[in-house]
Amino acid sequence: MAVILSFAMLIFAAEPVAATSISDLERQKQELERQKKDADARKRQEQQKYDNAAGVADSIQENVDEVAGEIDEIDAALVETIASVEIIEEEIEEKEEQIEETTREYEEALATEQEQYEDMKLRIKFMYEKGDATYLEILLASQSFADMMNKVEYVEKLYEYDRNLLEEYEAARMTVEALKEKLEEERAELEAQEHELMEEKESLEIILTEKKAVYEDYEAQLTRARQEAAVYKANIRKQNEEIKRLAAQAQEKQSQIDEAKRLEEEARKAQELALQRQAEEEARQSSGGGSSESLSGSSSGSGSSQSYASASSYSGSGSKGQQIANYACQFIGNPYVPGGTSLTQGADCSGFVWRVYKDFGYSLPRTSYSMRSSGTGVSYSEAQPGDIMCYAGHVGIYIGGGQIVHASTQRTGIKITHATYKEILSVRRIV
């Protein structure tokens, strides 16, 4: 009997120590869970920052690609302009050579005309300087009337010959002069074109310099955005490691609690056995005794509500594209958040389209620029609900009736707009 009582006393003495140990372990575990919850919250914050930074980086990348394309176009135009200037300079040089050659021909024609004119004047002067006397001499010197007529006719033919020859030289001179004037006009036109092309070249060089400055600025912004995203990503990795560490410690505490409870249960059973043996001994001595025990428990529960219908709930409501359009419209009024992909907490234009399609099991590129090459291209006249409308730096989901639902701006959020509110670059069909 003394042995049993001693054993029971030892058990009762040990029980408070075990209970205190379990309580401490429970508090330690709760503290670890609280720290893990805080780490999860910090991770979500860092994830949101990372998503925003990644979205900004994607947007800047689109700007970089767009400016790079413009620089390539300007480079090509500048090369073409420089080539045109060189061609015109060669043509001007060729025209000057032609003008020099024509000028020499003109001067030669002018000299020949003048020489013929002087010779004709001498002959006319010789023939007519004596007036009628010359004709009288011709008549008197004639052997017959026929001889006289032949001489008169000869003088007239000689005069006619000189006059025709002079007219031919004059016509040749005028032709060469007209050609010279034409060549000079053509040279003037080429020089004007050269001047205009040089102005265009200077303008293109200025624009190219400006575009390169914009490109370098975007590159700097992109570098900063990527660095910022890298910091957030490193923080997320750090938070993940912290969460894993805290989860492992909490699991270890739970194992310690389970072990302590097991030891406590064994101690309790040993205590009950000791008390039972004590009661049996006392019953034998006093012929009476009893015992009783009671059990208690508690439970708790929690509930939650959802304000939006899931994508799967739209199955059977028309075509798949119509289901996507209907599902997307229930988020009208929610905010626009740069880089966001949440249909309720906020998304940008490509994040909104990406998430809607993701909820239906489709994988799309994350940026509006990349979405231009997704799926199959169709014309706007063939557009159906669910098709993606692609604009310069923007995307939306066509819902029919010439309208789209899209994450518009930070001021207006997710809303419905006419599909043709600005130029449509392409229409992409995914389903």
Side-chain angles (χ1 to χ4, degrees), residues 8-292:
M9 289 175 65
L10 288 172
I11 293 174
F12 281 122
E15 184 176 1
V17 175
T20 302
S21 177
I22 293 174
S23 177
D24 289 342
L25 291 172
E26 290 284 1
R27 283 195 297 272
Q28 292 172 9
K29 179 187 174 186
Q30 290 175 1
E31 176 62 20
L32 289 171
E33 290 178 344
R34 184 192 65 77
Q35 293 178 15
K36 180 176 177 294
K37 184 178 180 180
D38 292 343
D40 283 331
R42 289 193 297 271
K43 176 188 173 182
R44 286 193 296 271
Q45 292 175 356
E46 293 297 325
Q47 184 66 52
Q48 182 63 40
K49 292 177 181 178
Y50 172 77
D51 291 341
N52 291 341
V56 170
D58 288 341
S59 179
I60 295 174
Q61 183 63 60
E62 291 179 6
N63 292 334
V64 169
D65 294 340
E66 182 178 352
V67 174
E70 292 176 356
I71 288 175
D72 290 340
E73 292 177 359
I74 295 171
D75 271 334
L78 186 57
V79 169
E80 183 178 353
T81 301
I82 292 173
S84 298
V85 169
E86 291 176 353
I87 291 172
I88 286 180
E89 288 176 347
E90 292 176 359
E91 291 180 355
I92 290 175
E93 184 177 352
E94 183 179 349
K95 289 295 179 185
E96 288 176 347
E97 292 176 357
Q98 292 176 359
I99 289 172
E100 290 177 1
E101 178 65 23
T102 305
T103 301
R104 286 194 298 270
E105 293 177 359
Y106 172 76
E107 291 174 352
E108 291 175 359
L110 184 63
T112 301
E113 177 189 0
Q114 186 66 30
E115 182 180 352
Q116 177 62 23
Y117 177 66
E118 294 298 330
D119 290 344
M120 185 183 70
K121 285 197 301 182
L122 289 174
R123 283 193 292 272
I124 293 173
K125 180 179 179 183
F126 176 77
M127 292 172 58
Y128 297 106
E129 64 183 356
K130 295 183 180 180
D132 294 338
T134 302
Y135 285 101
L136 181 59
E137 289 177 1
I138 291 174
L139 293 175
L140 294 176
S142 299
Q143 299 297 325
S144 64
F145 180 76
D147 184 32
M148 179 189 67
M149 293 302 296
N150 288 335
K151 290 181 178 181
V152 171
E153 185 179 356
Y154 169 75
V155 172
E156 290 178 350
K157 286 182 178 180
L158 182 61
Y159 169 75
E160 184 68 19
Y161 169 77
D162 285 335
R163 185 173 61 82
N164 291 337
L165 192 60
L166 183 61
E167 288 177 353
E168 289 177 3
Y169 284 134
E170 184 179 3
R173 177 185 58 79
M174 293 178 66
T175 300
V176 174
E177 185 178 9
L179 177 59
K180 178 184 175 185
E181 291 179 357
K182 179 183 178 183
L183 290 172
E184 289 177 345
E185 288 177 1
E186 291 176 353
R187 181 182 63 179
E189 290 177 359
L190 289 172
E191 289 175 346
Q193 291 178 23
E194 181 186 25
H195 177 72
E196 292 174 359
L197 286 171
M198 291 300 294
E199 288 185 343
E200 181 179 350
K201 175 176 172 289
E202 292 174 0
S203 176
L204 287 172
E205 288 174 344
I206 293 173
I207 295 173
L208 182 60
T209 301
E210 294 174 351
K211 289 295 181 182
K212 286 183 177 178
V214 172
Y215 179 84
E216 291 174 358
D217 181 59
Y218 278 137
E219 282 285 355
Q221 294 181 32
L222 182 60
T223 300
R224 290 193 297 270
R226 285 176 173 170
Q227 290 174 346
E228 184 178 356
V231 171
Y232 293 140
K233 191 172 183 179
N235 290 340
I236 292 171
R237 189 182 303 110
K238 182 178 179 181
Q239 291 301 323
N240 282 333
E241 293 173 354
E242 179 69 9
I243 291 169
K244 288 180 182 179
R245 184 184 66 81
L246 292 171
Q249 291 182 353
Q251 182 62 38
E252 182 181 357
K253 291 298 178 185
Q254 183 62 50
S255 299
Q256 294 175 3
I257 291 170
D258 293 341
E259 179 64 16
K261 286 182 177 180
R262 185 185 66 79
L263 295 174
E264 184 183 58
E265 180 64 16
E266 290 178 355
R268 185 187 63 77
K269 289 180 179 179
Q271 177 186 356
E272 290 177 354
L273 179 59
L275 291 174
Q276 182 181 358
R277 289 177 179 177
Q278 180 184 0
E280 289 173 353
E281 182 67 23
E282 291 176 352
R284 283 196 298 271
Q285 294 178 0
S286 62
S287 302
S291 63
S292 65

